Amino acid sequence: MADQLLDQVRDVVEGEIDFNGQRRAELFSTLFLALTGLFAFNIGWVREDIALAVYTGLGGTALTFLLVVPPWPIYKKDPVKFLPAGEGLYKVQ
């Protein structure tokens, strides 16, 4: 039972993304984490509550994790096209 659940989770989490998808994921993670930090800081400043700021930052980080880490289709738009074997600069003999 646990092995089946682990295999299902692995199938969801493991996935191939292309180079442009990696660039998008890095951009999104940087943007979302920066916005989360600014939002958490402002919430903590206005409410004068450090715990609320920390929980807001943790929640934003978890949301960023869910948006960036799984191989969503937006990260698979431009697959790499390899040359067939035997063609190109070097010929296979």
Coordinates of all heavy atoms in Angstrom, one line a residue:
M1 N 0.8 -1.2 0.0 CA 0.0 0.0 0.0 C 0.9 1.3 0.0 O 0.7 2.2 -0.8 CB -0.9 0.0 1.2 CG -1.8 1.2 1.4 SD -3.1 1.2 0.2 CE -3.9 2.6 0.6
A2 N 1.9 1.3 0.9 CA 2.7 2.4 1.0 C 3.6 2.6 -0.3 O 3.9 3.7 -0.8 CB 3.6 2.4 2.2
D3 N 4.0 1.4 -0.9 CA 4.8 1.4 -2.1 C 4.0 2.0 -3.3 O 4.5 2.7 -4.1 CB 5.3 0.1 -2.4 CG 6.4 -0.4 -1.5 OD1 7.0 0.4 -0.8 OD2 6.5 -1.7 -1.3
Q4 N 2.7 1.6 -3.3 CA 1.9 2.2 -4.4 C 1.7 3.7 -4.3 O 1.7 4.4 -5.3 CB 0.5 1.5 -4.4 CG 0.5 0.0 -4.8 CD -0.8 -0.6 -4.6 OE1 -1.7 -0.1 -3.9 NE2 -1.0 -1.8 -5.2
L5 N 1.5 4.1 -3.1 CA 1.3 5.6 -2.8 C 2.6 6.3 -3.2 O 2.6 7.3 -3.8 CB 0.9 5.8 -1.4 CG 0.7 7.3 -1.0 CD1 -0.5 7.9 -1.8 CD2 0.4 7.4 0.5
L6 N 3.7 5.7 -2.8 CA 5.0 6.3 -3.1 C 5.3 6.4 -4.6 O 5.8 7.4 -5.1 CB 6.1 5.6 -2.4 CG 7.5 6.2 -2.5 CD1 7.6 7.6 -1.9 CD2 8.5 5.3 -1.8
D7 N 4.9 5.3 -5.3 CA 5.0 5.3 -6.7 C 4.2 6.4 -7.4 O 4.6 7.0 -8.4 CB 4.7 3.9 -7.3 CG 5.8 2.9 -7.0 OD1 6.9 3.3 -6.7 OD2 5.5 1.7 -7.0
Q8 N 2.9 6.6 -6.9 CA 2.1 7.6 -7.5 C 2.6 9.0 -7.2 O 2.6 9.8 -8.1 CB 0.7 7.5 -6.9 CG -0.1 6.3 -7.3 CD -1.4 6.1 -6.6 OE1 -1.7 6.8 -5.6 NE2 -2.2 5.2 -7.1
V9 N 3.1 9.2 -6.0 CA 3.7 10.5 -5.7 C 5.0 10.7 -6.6 O 5.2 11.8 -7.1 CB 4.1 10.6 -4.2 CG1 4.9 11.9 -3.9 CG2 2.8 10.6 -3.4
R10 N 5.8 9.7 -6.8 CA 7.0 9.8 -7.6 C 6.6 10.1 -9.0 O 7.3 10.9 -9.7 CB 7.8 8.5 -7.5 CG 9.1 8.6 -8.2 CD 10.0 7.4 -8.0 NE 10.3 7.2 -6.6 CZ 10.1 6.1 -5.9 NH1 9.6 5.0 -6.5 NH2 10.4 6.0 -4.6
D11 N 5.6 9.5 -9.6 CA 5.1 9.8 -10.9 C 4.7 11.2 -11.1 O 4.9 11.8 -12.1 CB 4.0 8.9 -11.3 CG 4.5 7.4 -11.5 OD1 5.7 7.2 -11.7 OD2 3.6 6.5 -11.5
V12 N 4.1 11.8 -10.1 CA 3.6 13.2 -10.2 C 4.8 14.1 -10.1 O 4.9 15.1 -10.8 CB 2.6 13.5 -9.1 CG1 2.3 15.0 -9.0 CG2 1.3 12.7 -9.3
V13 N 5.7 13.9 -9.1 CA 6.8 14.8 -8.9 C 7.9 14.7 -9.9 O 8.5 15.7 -10.3 CB 7.4 14.6 -7.4 CG1 8.6 15.4 -7.2 CG2 6.3 14.9 -6.4
E14 N 8.2 13.5 -10.3 CA 9.3 13.3 -11.3 C 8.8 13.6 -12.7 O 7.7 13.1 -13.1 CB 9.8 11.9 -11.3 CG 10.7 11.6 -10.1 CD 11.3 10.2 -10.2 OE1 11.0 9.4 -11.1 OE2 12.0 9.8 -9.3
G15 N 9.4 14.4 -13.4 CA 9.0 14.7 -14.7 C 10.1 15.5 -15.4 O 10.9 16.2 -14.7
E16 N 10.1 15.5 -16.7 CA 11.1 16.2 -17.4 C 10.6 17.5 -17.9 O 9.5 17.6 -18.4 CB 11.6 15.3 -18.6 CG 12.3 14.0 -18.1 CD 12.7 13.2 -19.3 OE1 12.6 13.7 -20.4 OE2 13.1 12.1 -19.1
I17 N 11.3 18.5 -17.6 CA 11.0 19.9 -18.1 C 12.1 20.3 -19.1 O 13.3 19.8 -18.9 CB 10.7 20.9 -17.0 CG1 12.0 21.2 -16.2 CG2 9.6 20.4 -16.2 CD1 11.8 22.3 -15.2
D18 N 11.8 21.2 -20.0 CA 12.8 21.6 -21.0 C 13.6 22.8 -20.4 O 13.4 23.2 -19.3 CB 12.2 21.9 -22.3 CG 11.1 22.9 -22.1 OD1 11.3 23.9 -21.5 OD2 10.0 22.7 -22.7
F19 N 14.6 23.2 -21.2 CA 15.5 24.3 -20.7 C 14.7 25.6 -20.5 O 15.0 26.3 -19.6 CB 16.6 24.5 -21.7 CG 17.6 23.3 -21.8 CD1 17.7 22.6 -22.9 CD2 18.3 23.0 -20.7 CE1 18.6 21.5 -23.0 CE2 19.1 21.9 -20.7 CZ 19.3 21.1 -21.9
N20 N 13.8 25.9 -21.4 CA 13.0 27.1 -21.2 C 12.1 27.0 -20.0 O 11.8 28.0 -19.3 CB 12.2 27.4 -22.5 CG 13.0 27.9 -23.6 OD1 14.1 28.5 -23.4 ND2 12.6 27.6 -24.9
G21 N 11.6 25.8 -19.8 CA 10.8 25.5 -18.6 C 11.6 25.7 -17.3 O 11.1 26.2 -16.3
Q22 N 12.9 25.4 -17.3 CA 13.8 25.6 -16.2 C 13.9 27.1 -16.0 O 13.9 27.6 -14.8 CB 15.1 25.0 -16.4 CG 15.1 23.4 -16.4 CD 16.4 22.8 -16.7 OE1 17.4 23.5 -16.8 NE2 16.4 21.5 -16.7
R23 N 14.1 27.8 -17.1 CA 14.2 29.3 -17.0 C 12.9 29.9 -16.4 O 13.0 30.8 -15.5 CB 14.5 29.9 -18.4 CG 14.8 31.4 -18.3 CD 15.1 31.9 -19.7 NE 16.3 31.3 -20.2 CZ 16.4 30.6 -21.4 NH1 15.3 30.5 -22.2 NH2 17.5 30.1 -21.8
R24 N 11.8 29.4 -16.9 CA 10.5 29.9 -16.3 C 10.4 29.6 -14.8 O 9.9 30.4 -14.0 CB 9.3 29.3 -17.1 CG 9.1 29.9 -18.4 CD 7.8 29.3 -19.0 NE 7.9 29.4 -20.4 CZ 8.1 28.4 -21.3 NH1 8.3 27.2 -20.8 NH2 8.2 28.6 -22.6
A25 N 10.7 28.4 -14.5 CA 10.6 28.0 -13.0 C 11.5 28.8 -12.2 O 11.1 29.2 -11.1 CB 11.0 26.5 -12.9
E26 N 12.7 29.1 -12.6 CA 13.6 30.0 -11.8 C 13.0 31.4 -11.7 O 13.1 32.0 -10.6 CB 15.0 30.0 -12.5 CG 16.0 30.8 -11.7 CD 17.3 30.9 -12.3 OE1 17.5 30.3 -13.4 OE2 18.2 31.6 -11.8
L27 N 12.5 31.9 -12.8 CA 11.9 33.3 -12.8 C 10.7 33.3 -11.9 O 10.6 34.2 -11.0 CB 11.5 33.7 -14.2 CG 10.8 35.0 -14.3 CD1 11.8 36.2 -14.0 CD2 10.2 35.2 -15.7
F28 N 9.8 32.3 -12.0 CA 8.7 32.3 -11.1 C 9.0 32.2 -9.6 O 8.5 32.8 -8.8 CB 7.7 31.1 -11.5 CG 7.1 31.3 -12.8 CD1 6.5 30.2 -13.5 CD2 6.9 32.5 -13.4 CE1 5.9 30.4 -14.7 CE2 6.3 32.7 -14.6 CZ 5.8 31.6 -15.3
S29 N 10.0 31.3 -9.3 CA 10.4 31.1 -7.9 C 11.0 32.4 -7.4 O 10.7 32.8 -6.2 CB 11.3 29.9 -7.8 OG 12.5 30.2 -8.4
T30 N 11.8 33.0 -8.1 CA 12.4 34.3 -7.6 C 11.4 35.4 -7.4 O 11.3 36.0 -6.4 CB 13.5 34.8 -8.7 OG1 14.5 33.8 -8.8 CG2 14.1 36.1 -8.2
L31 N 10.5 35.5 -8.4 CA 9.4 36.5 -8.3 C 8.5 36.2 -7.2 O 8.2 37.1 -6.3 CB 8.6 36.5 -9.6 CG 7.5 37.5 -9.7 CD1 8.0 38.9 -9.7 CD2 6.7 37.3 -11.0
F32 N 8.0 35.0 -7.0 CA 7.0 34.7 -6.0 C 7.7 34.8 -4.6 O 7.0 35.2 -3.7 CB 6.5 33.3 -6.2 CG 5.6 33.1 -7.4 CD1 5.5 31.9 -8.1 CD2 4.9 34.2 -7.9 CE1 4.8 31.8 -9.2 CE2 4.1 34.1 -9.0 CZ 4.0 32.9 -9.7
L33 N 8.9 34.3 -4.4 CA 9.5 34.4 -3.1 C 9.8 35.9 -2.7 O 9.7 36.3 -1.6 CB 10.8 33.6 -3.1 CG 10.6 32.1 -3.1 CD1 12.0 31.4 -3.2 CD2 9.9 31.7 -1.8
A34 N 10.2 36.7 -3.7 CA 10.4 38.1 -3.4 C 9.1 38.8 -3.0 O 9.0 39.6 -2.0 CB 11.0 38.8 -4.6
L35 N 8.0 38.5 -3.7 CA 6.7 39.1 -3.4 C 6.2 38.6 -2.0 O 5.6 39.3 -1.3 CB 5.7 38.8 -4.5 CG 5.9 39.5 -5.8 CD1 4.9 39.0 -6.9 CD2 5.8 41.0 -5.6
T36 N 6.5 37.3 -1.8 CA 6.1 36.7 -0.5 C 6.8 37.4 0.7 O 6.2 37.8 1.7 CB 6.4 35.2 -0.4 OG1 5.5 34.6 -1.4 CG2 6.1 34.6 0.9
G37 N 8.1 37.6 0.5 CA 8.9 38.3 1.5 C 8.4 39.7 1.7 O 8.3 40.2 2.9
L38 N 8.2 40.5 0.7 CA 7.6 41.8 0.8 C 6.3 41.9 1.5 O 6.0 42.7 2.4 CB 7.6 42.5 -0.5 CG 8.9 42.9 -1.2 CD1 8.6 43.4 -2.6 CD2 9.6 44.0 -0.3
F39 N 5.4 40.9 1.1 CA 4.1 40.9 1.7 C 4.1 40.5 3.1 O 3.5 41.1 4.0 CB 3.2 39.9 0.9 CG 1.8 39.8 1.4 CD1 0.9 40.9 1.1 CD2 1.3 38.7 2.0 CE1 -0.4 40.8 1.6 CE2 0.0 38.6 2.4 CZ -0.8 39.7 2.2
A40 N 5.0 39.5 3.5 CA 5.1 39.1 4.9 C 5.7 40.2 5.7 O 5.2 40.4 6.9 CB 5.9 37.8 4.9
F41 N 6.7 40.9 5.2 CA 7.3 42.0 6.0 C 6.2 43.1 6.3 O 6.1 43.6 7.4 CB 8.4 42.5 5.2 CG 9.1 43.7 5.9 CD1 9.9 43.5 7.0 CD2 8.8 45.0 5.5 CE1 10.5 44.6 7.6 CE2 9.3 46.1 6.2 CZ 10.2 45.9 7.2
N42 N 5.5 43.4 5.2 CA 4.5 44.5 5.4 C 3.3 44.1 6.4 O 2.9 44.9 7.2 CB 3.9 44.9 4.1 CG 4.9 45.7 3.3 OD1 5.6 46.5 3.8 ND2 4.9 45.6 2.0
I43 N 2.9 42.8 6.3 CA 1.9 42.3 7.2 C 2.4 42.4 8.6 O 1.7 42.8 9.5 CB 1.5 40.9 6.8 CG1 0.6 40.9 5.5 CG2 0.7 40.2 7.9 CD1 -0.7 41.5 5.7
G44 N 3.6 41.9 8.8 CA 4.2 41.9 10.2 C 4.4 43.3 10.7 O 4.2 43.6 11.9
W45 N 4.8 44.3 9.8 CA 5.0 45.7 10.2 C 3.7 46.3 10.6 O 3.6 47.0 11.6 CB 5.6 46.4 9.0 CG 5.9 47.8 9.3 CD1 5.1 48.9 9.4 CD2 7.2 48.4 9.7 NE1 5.7 50.0 9.7 CE2 7.1 49.7 9.9 CE3 8.5 47.8 9.8 CZ2 8.1 50.6 10.2 CZ3 9.5 48.6 10.2 CH2 9.3 50.0 10.4
V46 N 2.6 46.2 9.8 CA 1.4 46.8 10.0 C 0.7 46.2 11.3 O 0.2 47.0 12.1 CB 0.4 46.7 8.8 CG1 -1.0 47.1 9.1 CG2 1.0 47.5 7.6
R47 N 0.7 44.9 11.4 CA 0.0 44.2 12.6 C 0.9 44.2 13.8 O 0.5 43.8 14.9 CB -0.4 42.8 12.2 CG -1.4 42.7 11.1 CD -2.8 43.0 11.6 NE -3.7 42.9 10.6 CZ -4.7 42.1 10.6 NH1 -4.8 41.2 11.5 NH2 -5.6 42.1 9.6
E48 N 2.2 44.5 13.6 CA 3.2 44.4 14.7 C 3.2 43.1 15.3 O 3.2 42.9 16.5 CB 3.0 45.5 15.7 CG 3.2 46.9 15.2 CD 2.9 48.0 16.2 OE1 2.6 47.7 17.4 OE2 3.1 49.2 15.8
D49 N 3.3 42.0 14.5 CA 3.2 40.7 14.9 C 4.2 39.8 14.1 O 4.0 39.6 12.9 CB 1.8 40.1 14.7 CG 1.6 38.7 15.3 OD1 2.6 38.2 15.9 OD2 0.5 38.2 15.2
I50 N 5.3 39.5 14.7 CA 6.4 38.7 14.0 C 5.9 37.3 13.7 O 6.3 36.8 12.6 CB 7.7 38.7 14.9 CG1 8.9 38.2 14.0 CG2 7.5 37.9 16.1 CD1 9.3 39.1 13.0
A51 N 5.1 36.7 14.5 CA 4.7 35.4 14.2 C 3.8 35.4 13.0 O 3.9 34.4 12.1 CB 3.9 34.8 15.4
L52 N 2.9 36.4 12.8 CA 2.1 36.5 11.6 C 3.0 36.6 10.4 O 2.7 36.0 9.3 CB 1.1 37.6 11.8 CG 0.2 37.8 10.6 CD1 -0.7 36.6 10.4 CD2 -0.7 39.0 10.8
A53 N 4.0 37.4 10.5 CA 4.9 37.6 9.4 C 5.6 36.3 9.0 O 5.8 36.0 7.8 CB 6.0 38.7 9.7
V54 N 6.1 35.6 10.0 CA 6.7 34.3 9.7 C 5.8 33.3 9.1 O 6.1 32.6 8.1 CB 7.3 33.7 11.0 CG1 7.8 32.3 10.9 CG2 8.5 34.6 11.5
Y55 N 4.6 33.2 9.6 CA 3.6 32.2 9.1 C 3.2 32.7 7.6 O 3.0 31.8 6.8 CB 2.4 32.1 10.0 CG 2.7 31.4 11.3 CD1 2.2 31.9 12.5 CD2 3.5 30.3 11.3 CE1 2.5 31.2 13.6 CE2 3.7 29.6 12.5 CZ 3.2 30.1 13.6 OH 3.5 29.5 14.8
T56 N 3.1 33.9 7.4 CA 2.8 34.4 6.1 C 3.9 34.1 5.1 O 3.7 33.6 4.0 CB 2.5 35.9 6.0 OG1 1.5 36.2 7.0 CG2 2.2 36.4 4.7
G57 N 5.1 34.3 5.5 CA 6.3 33.9 4.7 C 6.4 32.4 4.5 O 6.7 32.0 3.3
L58 N 6.1 31.6 5.5 CA 6.1 30.1 5.3 C 5.0 29.7 4.3 O 5.2 28.8 3.5 CB 5.9 29.4 6.6 CG 7.2 29.5 7.6 CD1 6.8 28.9 8.9 CD2 8.3 28.8 6.9
G59 N 3.8 30.3 4.5 CA 2.7 30.0 3.6 C 3.0 30.3 2.1 O 2.7 29.6 1.2
G60 N 3.6 31.5 1.9 CA 4.0 31.9 0.6 C 5.1 31.0 0.0 O 5.1 30.7 -1.2
T61 N 6.0 30.6 0.8 CA 7.0 29.7 0.4 C 6.4 28.3 0.0 O 6.8 27.7 -1.0 CB 8.1 29.5 1.5 OG1 8.6 30.8 1.8 CG2 9.2 28.6 1.0
A62 N 5.5 27.8 0.8 CA 4.8 26.6 0.4 C 4.0 26.7 -0.9 O 4.1 25.8 -1.7 CB 3.9 26.1 1.6
L63 N 3.4 27.8 -1.1 CA 2.6 28.0 -2.3 C 3.6 28.1 -3.5 O 3.3 27.5 -4.6 CB 1.8 29.3 -2.2 CG 1.0 29.7 -3.4 CD1 -0.1 28.6 -3.7 CD2 0.4 31.1 -3.2
T64 N 4.7 28.8 -3.3 CA 5.7 28.8 -4.4 C 6.3 27.5 -4.7 O 6.4 27.1 -5.9 CB 6.9 29.8 -3.9 OG1 6.4 31.1 -3.7 CG2 8.0 29.9 -5.0
F65 N 6.5 26.6 -3.7 CA 6.9 25.3 -3.9 C 5.9 24.5 -4.8 O 6.3 23.8 -5.7 CB 7.1 24.6 -2.5 CG 7.5 23.1 -2.6 CD1 8.8 22.8 -2.8 CD2 6.6 22.1 -2.6 CE1 9.2 21.5 -2.9 CE2 6.9 20.8 -2.6 CZ 8.3 20.5 -2.8
L66 N 4.6 24.7 -4.5 CA 3.6 24.0 -5.2 C 3.5 24.5 -6.7 O 3.1 23.7 -7.6 CB 2.2 24.1 -4.5 CG 2.1 23.3 -3.2 CD1 0.8 23.6 -2.5 CD2 2.3 21.8 -3.5
L67 N 3.8 25.7 -6.9 CA 3.7 26.3 -8.2 C 4.9 26.0 -9.1 O 4.8 26.0 -10.3 CB 3.5 27.8 -8.1 CG 2.2 28.3 -7.6 CD1 2.2 29.8 -7.4 CD2 1.1 27.9 -8.5
V68 N 6.1 25.8 -8.4 CA 7.3 25.7 -9.2 C 7.9 24.2 -9.3 O 8.4 23.8 -10.4 CB 8.4 26.6 -8.6 CG1 9.7 26.4 -9.2 CG2 8.0 28.0 -8.7
V69 N 7.8 23.4 -8.3 CA 8.5 22.2 -8.2 C 7.8 21.1 -9.1 O 8.5 20.4 -9.9 CB 8.6 21.7 -6.8 CG1 9.1 20.2 -6.7 CG2 9.6 22.6 -6.0
P70 N 6.5 20.9 -9.1 CA 5.9 19.8 -10.0 C 6.1 20.2 -11.4 O 6.1 21.4 -11.8 CB 4.4 19.8 -9.6 CG 4.3 20.4 -8.3 CD 5.4 21.4 -8.2
P71 N 6.2 19.2 -12.3 CA 6.5 19.5 -13.7 C 5.1 19.8 -14.4 O 4.6 19.0 -15.2 CB 7.0 18.1 -14.2 CG 6.5 17.1 -13.3 CD 6.4 17.8 -12.0
W72 N 4.6 21.0 -14.2 CA 3.4 21.5 -14.8 C 3.6 21.6 -16.3 O 4.7 21.8 -16.8 CB 3.0 22.8 -14.3 CG 2.7 22.8 -12.8 CD1 3.5 23.4 -11.8 CD2 1.6 22.2 -12.1 NE1 3.0 23.2 -10.6 CE2 1.8 22.5 -10.7 CE3 0.5 21.5 -12.5 CZ2 0.9 22.0 -9.8 CZ3 -0.4 21.1 -11.6 CH2 -0.2 21.4 -10.2
P73 N 2.5 21.5 -17.1 CA 2.7 21.6 -18.6 C 3.3 22.9 -19.1 O 3.9 22.9 -20.1 CB 1.2 21.5 -19.1 CG 0.5 20.8 -18.0 CD 1.2 21.2 -16.7
I74 N 3.2 24.0 -18.3 CA 3.8 25.2 -18.7 C 5.4 25.1 -18.8 O 6.0 25.9 -19.5 CB 3.5 26.4 -17.8 CG1 3.9 27.7 -18.4 CG2 4.1 26.2 -16.4 CD1 3.4 28.9 -17.6
Y75 N 5.9 24.1 -18.1 CA 7.4 23.9 -18.1 C 7.8 22.9 -19.2 O 9.0 22.6 -19.3 CB 7.9 23.4 -16.8 CG 7.5 24.3 -15.6 CD1 7.0 23.9 -14.4 CD2 7.7 25.7 -15.7 CE1 6.6 24.7 -13.4 CE2 7.4 26.5 -14.7 CZ 6.9 26.0 -13.5 OH 6.6 26.9 -12.5
K76 N 6.9 22.4 -20.0 CA 7.2 21.4 -21.0 C 6.8 21.9 -22.4 O 6.6 21.0 -23.3 CB 6.4 20.1 -20.7 CG 6.7 19.5 -19.4 CD 5.9 18.2 -19.2 CE 5.9 17.7 -17.8 NZ 5.1 16.5 -17.7
K77 N 6.7 23.1 -22.6 CA 6.2 23.6 -23.9 C 7.2 23.5 -25.1 O 6.8 23.4 -26.2 CB 5.9 25.1 -23.8 CG 4.6 25.4 -23.0 CD 4.3 26.8 -23.0 CE 3.0 27.1 -22.4 NZ 2.7 28.5 -22.4
D78 N 8.5 23.6 -24.8 CA 9.6 23.6 -25.8 C 10.5 22.4 -25.7 O 11.7 22.6 -25.2 CB 10.4 24.9 -25.8 CG 9.5 26.1 -25.8 OD1 8.6 26.1 -26.7 OD2 9.6 27.0 -25.0
P79 N 10.1 21.2 -26.1 CA 11.0 20.0 -25.9 C 12.2 20.2 -26.8 O 12.2 20.8 -27.9 CB 10.1 18.8 -26.3 CG 9.1 19.4 -27.2 CD 8.8 20.8 -26.7
V80 N 13.3 19.6 -26.4 CA 14.6 19.6 -27.1 C 14.4 18.5 -28.2 O 14.1 17.4 -28.0 CB 15.7 19.3 -26.2 CG1 17.0 19.2 -27.0 CG2 15.8 20.3 -25.1
K81 N 14.8 19.0 -29.4 CA 14.7 18.0 -30.6 C 16.2 17.6 -30.9 O 17.0 18.5 -31.3 CB 14.1 18.7 -31.8 CG 12.6 19.0 -31.5 CD 12.0 19.7 -32.7 CE 10.5 19.9 -32.5 NZ 10.2 21.2 -32.0
F82 N 16.5 16.4 -30.7 CA 17.8 15.9 -31.0 C 17.9 15.4 -32.4 O 16.9 15.0 -33.0 CB 18.1 14.7 -30.0 CG 18.3 15.1 -28.6 CD1 17.2 14.9 -27.7 CD2 19.4 15.7 -28.1 CE1 17.3 15.3 -26.4 CE2 19.5 16.1 -26.8 CZ 18.5 15.9 -25.9
L83 N 19.1 15.4 -33.0 CA 19.4 14.9 -34.3 C 19.3 13.4 -34.3 O 19.6 12.7 -33.3 CB 20.7 15.3 -34.8 CG 21.0 16.8 -35.1 CD1 22.4 17.0 -35.4 CD2 20.1 17.2 -36.2
P84 N 18.8 12.8 -35.3 CA 18.8 11.3 -35.4 C 20.2 10.8 -35.4 O 21.1 11.4 -35.8 CB 18.1 11.0 -36.7 CG 17.5 12.2 -37.2 CD 18.2 13.4 -36.5
A85 N 20.4 9.5 -34.9 CA 21.7 8.9 -34.9 C 22.3 8.8 -36.3 O 21.6 8.4 -37.2 CB 21.6 7.6 -34.2
G86 N 23.5 9.1 -36.4 CA 24.2 8.9 -37.7 C 24.1 10.2 -38.6 O 24.8 10.2 -39.6
E87 N 23.4 11.2 -38.2 CA 23.4 12.4 -38.9 C 24.1 13.5 -38.1 O 24.3 13.4 -36.9 CB 22.0 12.8 -39.3 CG 21.3 11.8 -40.2 CD 19.9 12.3 -40.5 OE1 19.6 13.5 -40.3 OE2 19.1 11.5 -41.0
G88 N 24.5 14.6 -38.8 CA 25.0 15.7 -38.1 C 26.5 15.8 -38.5 O 27.0 15.4 -39.5
L89 N 27.3 16.4 -37.6 CA 28.7 16.6 -37.8 C 29.5 15.4 -37.9 O 30.4 15.2 -38.7 CB 29.2 17.6 -36.7 CG 30.5 18.2 -36.9 CD1 30.6 19.0 -38.2 CD2 30.9 19.1 -35.7
Y90 N 29.2 14.4 -37.0 CA 30.0 13.2 -37.0 C 29.1 12.0 -37.4 O 28.0 11.9 -36.8 CB 30.6 12.9 -35.6 CG 31.5 14.0 -35.1 CD1 31.1 15.0 -34.2 CD2 32.8 14.1 -35.6 CE1 31.9 16.0 -33.8 CE2 33.6 15.1 -35.2 CZ 33.2 16.1 -34.3 OH 34.0 17.1 -33.9
K91 N 29.5 11.2 -38.3 CA 28.7 10.1 -38.7 C 29.1 8.8 -37.9 O 30.3 8.6 -37.7 CB 28.9 9.8 -40.2 CG 28.6 11.0 -41.0 CD 27.6 10.6 -42.1 CE 27.3 11.9 -42.9 NZ 26.0 12.1 -43.2
V92 N 28.1 8.1 -37.5 CA 28.3 6.8 -36.9 C 28.7 5.7 -37.9 O 27.9 5.6 -38.9 CB 27.1 6.4 -36.0 CG1 27.3 5.1 -35.4 CG2 26.8 7.5 -35.0
Q93 N 29.7 5.0 -37.7 CA 30.1 4.0 -38.7 C 29.7 2.6 -38.2 O 29.7 2.2 -37.1 CB 31.6 4.0 -39.0 CG 32.0 5.4 -39.6 CD 33.5 5.4 -39.9 OE1 34.2 4.4 -39.8 NE2 33.9 6.6 -40.2

